[in-house]
Amino acid sequence: SSEVLEAIENVFQDVLKSLAQKKAPVLTLANRSDWRNIEFKDSVGLQMIPHCTTKQIRSDCPRSALKFALTLKVLSVIYKMVQSNTYATKRDIYYSDTLLFGSQSVVDSIINDISCMLKIPRRSLHILSTTKGFVAGNLSYTEEDGTKVNCTYSATVFTVPSNVQGIKNLISHARFMLIVEKDATFQRLLDDDFCNKVSPCIMITGRGVPDLNTRLLVRKLWDSFQIPIFTLMDADPHGVEIMCIYKYGSVSMSFEAHHLTVPSIKWLGLLPSDLERLNIHKDVLIPFTKQDQNKLASIQKRPYIACQPMWKRELEIMAASKLKAEIQVLTSLSSDYLSRVYLPNKLQFGGWL
């Protein structure tokens, strides 16, 4: 905590120094959304290069003066929390002065900028992320406050802990981990007792684009158990994007890639090639929108696709057909086809990429 306090004090000292010299204070940040500042490493995923381009938040420019002031305001809130050893969510910070901040996304962006600028993870800034992910299956652990969580003998889902770094005593006999894109599919597999039927496994869903805690938990489980991790996503550009976030990370959070990515993740399904192989009727597939085409074209250009020839081939199949499919499309074959036939066969015969 003394490191965090010192880093924040340095920012304010620079501001005061500029004012003493009758200069307009400026905050300098790494340009987080610029692909030119990102390098791809097989072992880490997308990470920020050491000497990246920066942007300035100026106090004397009408366009950035408000952001300058809000950044200092959030820094002062963080400083007080670290001093008093209290914590708050991003939502708490927004609701402390909704008129001042204007929207939640403004607060979210400022917090990420601060974390990147100070090179300090969000948790060390005493900011908790609200969790939306679920976990189930062969896993037990103790939360930071001593609460014991046992997912193993229960058909209930557990919310991903809000402090993943604080969990300890992780125990599991799982043979693999399955990341499921959507809540509905996750619940369906749970109802079919999938975690116990095939072989013991851990199931996780970020319920769409994963939040920070869900990504941290996937990484923590990988570090703890080193078991294979498979993804079950819709056969569409959005599903591929979500899978890439778990595996390679995102551009905006590339400065924290080392804690968040698991490059060994495998694509189990739903593969575009599966649709033809299983004779899925064209009537139940969904035509691409313009947005889908743009998203897919953008994914195909990314540096990590070049080193995944099998993935590249699947994306080409998707691009050529201009059709997408949700996992639920398998119910057109039979109501329990996913848990009874599709997943057991894939896992048994190595049908992943």
Side-chain angles (χ1 to χ4, degrees), residues 44-283:
V44 182
L46 300 175
Q47 62 175 10
M48 197 169 262
I49 59 173
H51 306 291
C52 56
T53 61
T54 55
K55 59 180 180 182
Q56 290 190 326
I57 305 176
R58 302 191 62 84
S59 58
D60 61 348
C61 165
R63 273 193 323 182
S64 61
L66 178 62
K67 187 163 185 185
F68 179 90
L70 293 180
T71 305
L72 294 190
K73 162 78 175 168
V74 175
L75 276 167
S76 68
V77 170
I78 292 168
Y79 191 86
K80 283 177 197 154
M81 289 196 301
V82 175
Q83 262 189 329
S84 59
N85 197 24
T86 54
Y87 289 81
T89 64
K90 294 184 295 182
R91 206 166 172 71
D92 295 333
I93 293 173
Y94 167 59
Y95 278 109
S96 69
D97 200 333
T98 52
L99 280 175
L100 178 69
F101 292 116
S103 76
Q104 180 70 59
S105 60
V106 168
V107 175
D108 297 355
S109 170
I110 287 172
I111 287 166
N112 283 343
D113 279 342
I114 288 172
S115 178
C116 184
M117 175 172 72
L118 302 180
K119 294 184 171 52
I120 291 168
R122 212 188 288 174
R123 172 77 199 174
S124 303
L125 300 174
H126 284 230
I127 293 167
L128 301 170
S129 303
T130 36
T131 298
K132 65 183 177 99
F134 290 146
V135 60
N138 196 293
L139 175 69
S140 63
Y141 55 86
T142 308
E143 290 198 6
E144 189 185 30
D145 63 359
T147 308
K148 288 184 166 55
V149 175
N150 190 347
C151 315
T152 307
Y153 304 109
S154 141
T156 10
V157 296
F158 290 87
T159 305
V160 167
S162 59
N163 176 15
V164 174
Q165 284 97 326
I167 65 174
K168 49 191 186 290
N169 308 329
L170 286 95
I171 300 167
S172 176
H173 304 291
R175 303 285 300 281
F176 64 91
M177 199 159 32
L178 183 67
I179 299 171
V180 182
E181 178 185 349
K182 283 185 184 153
D183 191 18
T185 310
F186 181 86
Q187 298 287 353
R188 179 64 210 248
L189 288 171
L190 212 61
D191 294 345
D192 291 349
D193 197 22
F194 176 76
C195 291
N196 300 311
K197 271 186 183 159
V198 180
S199 63
C201 74
I202 299 167
M203 275 201 320
I204 288 184
T205 179
R207 299 163 77 198
V209 177
D211 56 61
L212 196 67
N213 289 330
T214 305
R215 290 173 64 191
L216 283 167
L217 182 63
V218 169
R219 177 60 198 246
K220 178 135 188 157
L221 294 173
W222 160 247
D223 287 338
S224 305
F225 305 121
Q226 301 279 308
I227 51 177
I229 304 180
F230 302 110
T231 57
L232 180 63
M233 306 278 151
D234 288 341
D236 66 8
H238 189 62
V240 175
E241 172 93 287
I242 288 170
M243 173 171 58
C244 291
I245 290 172
Y246 283 109
K247 186 175 172 76
Y248 296 125
S250 60
V251 174
S252 63
M253 293 298 287
S254 57
F255 63 94
E256 274 205 62
H258 289 268
H259 315 289
L260 294 172
T261 59
V262 185
S264 62
I265 283 172
K266 303 280 185 277
W267 187 4
L268 187 71
L270 191 59
L271 302 177
S273 59
D274 288 341
L275 304 174
E276 206 168 289
R277 187 175 59 82
L278 298 171
N279 291 322
I280 302 285
H281 209 278
K282 292 265 197 293
D283 293 356

Side-chain angles (χ1 to χ4, degrees), residues 296-325:
L296 183 56
S298 131
I299 293 170
Q300 286 176 302
K301 289 191 195 103
R302 291 186 194 166
Y304 43 71
I305 297 299
C307 69
Q308 289 279 4
M310 307 283 273
W311 282 35
K312 199 171 172 218
R313 176 81 194 107
E314 292 295 330
L315 298 185
E316 282 163 2
I317 293 170
M318 197 190 287
S321 74
K322 290 193 173 60
L323 292 168
K324 57 183 182 176

